[in-house]
Amino acid sequence: MTAPLPPLLVQALRDERVRRLGAQPLVGIVMGSSSDWPTMSAAAQILEQFAVPYEALVVSAHRTPDLMFAYAEWAKPRGLQAIIAGAGGAAHLPGMIAAKTTLPVLGVPVPSRALSGLDSLYSIVQMPKGVPVATFAIGEAGAANAALFAVAMLAGSNRLLGEALAAFRQEQVAAVDAMSLAEAS
Ligand code: RP5
């Protein structure tokens, strides 16, 4: 796209609204509310650990639908390579983002107050055939794994990232090696 970014997207991407690592994000993390951040920050932490440039911001499917569409439409032209989208309840954000971009969309079901995130999970995982959303576990584990999955995708064309991912896995081997039940009561 050669047209300028729509004003509502420029407005949404201003520094006060966005958490960023690096000037040119490769991964966008979006969520329906700032109340999702305690969950979705687990994705940001992983990307920071792997030094993957990212941006994180609130984009609501039902409260800011125009922004959601603009964000999705401009994600690829802006250089993003994947979008991690988290939402709770009737969680249509990941699916609607996926409807407007061919970038991989990684969906994170955020725990909801009424149904503990089962509603979020079903809303995200049950995409009809043709427009996929890769759906992860409910909550922080899902957010972290979505980021690890994004790292794995980026590692396909980045050898150093691949090595960092292998080292991360090796740390988990070492952690299990260090586990002992010998003194457990
Ligand atoms: C969804 O509604 C959000 O993703 C969030 O999980 C949920 C509740 O939002 P708040 O009422 O906390 O803003 O859109």
Side-chain angles (χ1 to χ4, degrees):
M1 273 188 219
T2 51
L5 291 188
L8 88 170
L9 187 52
V10 173
Q11 182 72 1
L13 291 172
R14 68 191 193 277
D15 286 346
E16 311 88 88
R17 279 203 56 184
V18 178
R19 184 176 291 253
R20 288 194 174 84
L21 179 69
Q24 172 53 64
L26 297 178
V27 179
I29 302 175
V30 289
M31 63 213 80
S33 171
S34 59
S35 67
D36 297 332
W37 181 239
T39 298
M40 298 306 292
S41 59
Q45 278 167 22
I46 291 288
L47 296 179
E48 282 171 21
Q49 195 174 333
F50 284 90
V52 171
Y54 76 89
E55 65 187 14
L57 64 155
V58 173
V59 176
S60 169
H62 61 283
R63 291 181 281 198
T64 61
D66 296 336
L67 172 61
M68 173 187 62
F69 279 163
Y71 187 85
E73 280 178 344
W74 281 89
K76 204 168 185 178
R78 291 179 55 239
L80 296 180
Q81 296 191 21
I83 298 173
I84 298 172
H92 27 252
L93 181 66
M96 291 304 290
I97 295 242
K100 295 290 274 185
T101 181
T102 54
L103 287 178
V105 175
L106 316 182
V108 179
V110 171
S112 55
R113 287 183 278 271
L115 298 174
S116 307
L118 259 189
D119 44 356
S120 325
L121 172 66
Y122 289 158
S123 300
I124 295 173
V125 78
Q126 284 299 115
M127 279 299 284
K129 182 180 177 183
V131 180
V133 170
T135 307
F136 291 83
I138 297 169
E140 277 178 49
N145 277 346
L148 286 167
F149 200 86
V151 170
M153 289 193 297
L154 294 169
S157 57
N158 182 328
R159 185 179 54 81
L160 289 178
L161 210 46
E163 288 172 6
L165 194 53
F168 179 84
R169 291 289 183 90
Q170 203 50 44
E171 283 169 22
Q172 294 181 59
V173 173
V176 172
D177 276 351
M179 289 177 186
S180 169
L181 302 183
E183 290 175 25
S185 53

